[in-house]
Amino acid sequence: QKEVEQNSGPLSVPEGAIASLNCTYSDRGSQSFFWYRQYSGKSPELIMFIYSNGDKEDGRFTAQLNKASQYVSLLIRDSQPSDSATYLCAYRMDSSYKLIFGSGTRLLVRP
Amino acid sequence: NAGVTQTPKFRILKIGQSMTLQCTQDMNHNYMYWYRQDPGMGLKLIYYSVGAGITDKGEVPNGYNVSRSTTEDFPLRLELAAPSQTSVYFCASSYDRGAAGGSGETQYFGPGTRLLVL
């Protein structure tokens, strides 16, 4: 079983819609969760991090964490074509320096 | 601040050659990391460092070596290049490992080095 599971996509949504990206993880010791955005040919950049169960909002982005069910999601409201990218989910265990990355979900926002 | 810089941007190596990928950060970050990303995949940690003089292996260290003589620099050495090392290499840095609830562990990535081994 992969440590971090993400649907590879592409997830295609129309401009202005809500994009929902999901990620499940296998390690119950995970403490910190991250969403990175990666444009084609570019390096990852942090979108959101979340530590506690529940929702965390930052502008058009909302991260949702459910530790009991071992999933974390990212909602993008009012999706824009510029949001088209691959979104990488990652987690870190409290005792480790290591980030475990998923393979990413490719998002395509249609104008 | 330039952030995290990497050189070269692209390199072609022949099998058995060696090279050093350079990484420098100007944010005075304690923690530095080397990842590789194969096509369509996530990032795999090769090596990391928690400060000058201290390095440790990540998930995929075989075929690589690192050193950290200064806070700013964290070069990655490839000895005896193999086709399996064809990948994009990213260097990253963070202020600290982070206590839950803090943002200090945000990792900032360099632009990457694309390596092709033929």
Side-chain angles (χ1 to χ4, degrees):
Chain A
Q1 181 186 5
K2 288 185 180 179
E3 292 178 280
V4 182
E5 295 270 7
Q6 291 185 260
N7 189 318
S8 61
L11 172 65
S12 181
V13 300
E15 184 175 355
I18 296 175
S20 177
L21 305 164
N22 299 310
C23 171
T24 59
Y25 59 94
S26 59
D27 199 313
R28 290 191 174 273
S30 306
Q31 293 293 325
S32 311
F33 302 86
F34 305 85
W35 282 101
Y36 281 84
R37 178 176 64 197
Q38 187 175 27
Y39 292 112
S40 180
K42 301 295 184 181
S43 57
E45 57 178 328
L46 184 71
I47 298 296
M48 297 278 288
F49 62 87
I50 186 168
Y51 300 101
S52 304
N53 277 325
D55 295 359
K56 179 181 179 183
E57 186 174 320
D58 184 1
R60 295 186 297 112
F61 300 95
T62 299
Q64 299 174 319
L65 175 60
N66 185 322
K67 290 189 177 182
S69 299
Q70 294 177 254
Y71 82 80
V72 58
S73 61
L74 180 69
L75 300 178
I76 306 175
R77 290 181 298 280
D78 188 23
S79 296
Q80 301 296 310
S82 59
D83 294 326
S84 297
T86 296
Y87 290 79
L88 301 169
C89 169
Y91 74 84
R92 183 184 65 76
M93 292 188 291
D94 191 46
S95 60
S96 172
Y97 300 102
K98 188 171 61 174
L99 282 186
I100 308 296
F101 282 87
S103 300
T105 298
R106 191 159 68 94
L107 173 66
L108 177 63
V109 181
R110 307 186 306 271
Chain B
N1 281 354
V4 181
T5 57
Q6 293 182 238
T7 56
K9 291 183 179 179
F10 177 66
R11 182 77 181 269
I12 298 175
L13 281 183
K14 294 182 179 179
I15 294 172
Q17 287 186 320
S18 300
M19 75 166 293
T20 298
L21 283 67
Q22 301 292 344
C23 174
T24 300
Q25 54 90 9
D26 63 359
M27 297 176 281
N28 200 31
H29 283 171
N30 296 318
Y31 292 70
M32 296 188 74
Y33 315 83
W34 273 106
Y35 294 91
R36 60 176 286 173
Q37 186 176 34
D38 298 330
M41 303 296 288
L43 293 95
K44 298 288 187 183
L45 183 66
I46 305 171
Y47 271 94
Y48 66 94
S49 169
V50 302
I54 306 171
T55 63
D56 207 348
K57 296 178 180 178
E59 300 172 84
V60 289
N62 291 344
Y64 308 94
N65 277 301
V66 294
S67 60
R68 183 113 180 256
S69 57
T70 67
T71 299
E72 295 78 19
D73 300 307
F74 190 40
L76 177 71
R77 177 82 177 163
L78 276 74
E79 305 282 0
L80 299 175
S84 60
Q85 294 177 304
T86 293
S87 191
V88 179
Y89 291 83
F90 290 104
C91 179
S93 72
S94 65
Y95 179 65
D96 62 24
R97 180 171 65 93
S103 61
E105 66 176 305
T106 297
Q107 293 190 17
Y108 296 88
F109 285 80
T113 293
R114 190 173 299 272
L115 177 66
L116 181 60
V117 182
L118 299 175

